[in-house]
Amino acid sequence: MDDFSRLEAKLVKLRQRERSPGDRRSIRGVPEALLALIVSEIDETILPREIGFTAQNGASFHLAVANRRLQALVSGAPAAEGLDALLGVAIADAEDATLGQLRSVLLIFLNASETWAISSRRQSGDGFPSDIGVPSGPLARAWQVAEAGSVQANPGGTLGDFLATAGSRSVAWLLIEDEAVKGQFGPDAIIADLSDKAAIFLDGYFSRKDALFQGEAGPNGLVFAAMKDGPAMVFLDCGASMAFLLASATEAATLARDWQARVAL
């Protein structure tokens, strides 16, 4: 897809800086929902890291994570019942009794605030062996939360299915996966123009995404409509998968509503 070289070159640069170590993001919700989002953070972490969660009231905790595994709780403040017995204790597997105790302690922390800033740093000292810890899937089941990889966490397949049904209602669309354009629909001239607009839009979007959505997790979307008659643009963001659609203002609103209903779980 040579016509998309500008967009794809832009995506490579933006993805590289989207989630660099130390970047601060945030999550928001009730304690059980926050626990599920923590599991999603673990599922997305490959290199050995200490993932920190900090509330505005000063409460904070750090988890040691590597290879999509929760390895240990390494810090927490203020003191909570059972905290000292868990600090620095490696979790062997999903059957480890420590896992249930850790869930209880984290819920104590998470009850302190609806919004938590996230940061990431390299594990201090020698860290933990890479095979230590509980993978995100068994962890989600042990903690009885939505498993990482569900539609909310990774709805790329759902997005592809949605676009396959959107052709008759849209003028054109682009499907982006990671750093490449993976699908398209519409006249070549309109697709080329949409690709240019997508590159310009994404240049600012990645740097301001957290502020725009205030830490909301899961699929997000935006609709842009011209002041005069003309097609509106629908942007759908599923993390690794994104889409841009052009449609009439009426159809754009319908498409956005249909997508929202599809991913609302």
Side-chain angles (χ1 to χ4, degrees):
M1 294 184 175
D2 293 338
D3 290 343
F4 305 118
S5 56
R6 177 188 175 193
L7 174 58
E8 291 180 336
K10 178 73 69 175
L11 283 165
V12 170
K13 294 179 181 179
L14 293 174
R15 289 294 192 189
Q16 286 174 347
R17 71 178 197 234
E18 180 185 8
R19 296 188 61 177
S20 58
D23 279 357
R24 295 183 67 84
R25 295 165 290 109
S26 61
I27 53 176
R28 184 178 183 181
V30 298
E32 289 75 13
L34 289 169
L35 203 61
L37 294 173
I38 289 172
V39 173
S40 292
E41 288 292 324
I42 293 168
D43 183 63
E44 295 174 6
T45 303
I46 307 299
L47 298 176
R49 292 287 183 265
E50 290 182 9
I51 304 178
F53 300 85
T54 305
Q56 290 184 343
N57 63 5
S60 67
F61 58 92
H62 283 79
L63 302 173
V65 178
N67 290 329
R68 297 193 172 111
R69 295 169 177 262
L70 171 62
Q71 298 183 307
L73 174 68
V74 293
S75 70
E81 183 178 353
L83 175 64
D84 290 343
L86 294 172
L87 291 178
V89 177
I91 302 171
D93 52 42
E95 303 300 323
D96 195 326
T98 303
L99 199 57
Q101 298 168 15
L102 178 54
R103 181 183 189 275
S104 298
V105 168
L106 291 184
L107 286 175
I108 292 174
F109 281 113
L110 296 175
N111 269 293
S113 176
E114 290 186 352
T115 303
W116 292 78
I118 306 173
S119 60
S120 177
R121 65 192 184 200
R122 291 182 179 181
Q123 290 189 14
S124 58
D126 295 331
F128 297 88
S130 60
D131 59 346
I132 286 293
V134 183
S136 58
L139 175 63
R141 293 189 289 274
W143 280 357
Q144 299 178 331
V145 300
E147 186 169 343
S150 65
V151 171
Q152 286 283 5
N154 184 20
T158 301
L159 180 56
D161 293 341
F162 178 75
L163 291 175
T165 67
S168 61
R169 297 185 289 165
S170 60
V171 177
W173 55 254
L174 291 175
L175 173 62
I176 299 169
E177 293 182 2
D178 292 319
E179 300 165 359
V181 177
K182 291 296 186 180
Q184 67 178 84
F185 167 82
D188 291 344
I190 294 178
I191 287 291
D193 183 60
L194 180 58
S195 175
D196 286 342
K197 286 182 170 60
I200 295 170
F201 169 77
L202 290 174
D203 193 22
Y205 173 76
F206 279 134
S207 64
R208 303 301 298 169
K209 177 179 177 180
D210 283 344
L212 181 64
F213 290 109
Q214 295 294 305
E216 294 180 15
N220 294 311
L222 295 168
V223 178
F224 303 90
M227 295 300 292
K228 298 181 179 179
D229 293 339
M233 185 174 77
V234 181
F235 170 65
L236 304 176
D237 178 8
C238 303
S241 299
M242 300 179 293
F244 289 87
L245 301 93
L246 283 181
S248 68
T250 300
E251 287 293 355
T254 302
L255 288 166
R257 186 183 65 242
D258 290 351
W259 170 249
Q260 186 177 38
R262 183 177 289 237
V263 298
L265 297 177

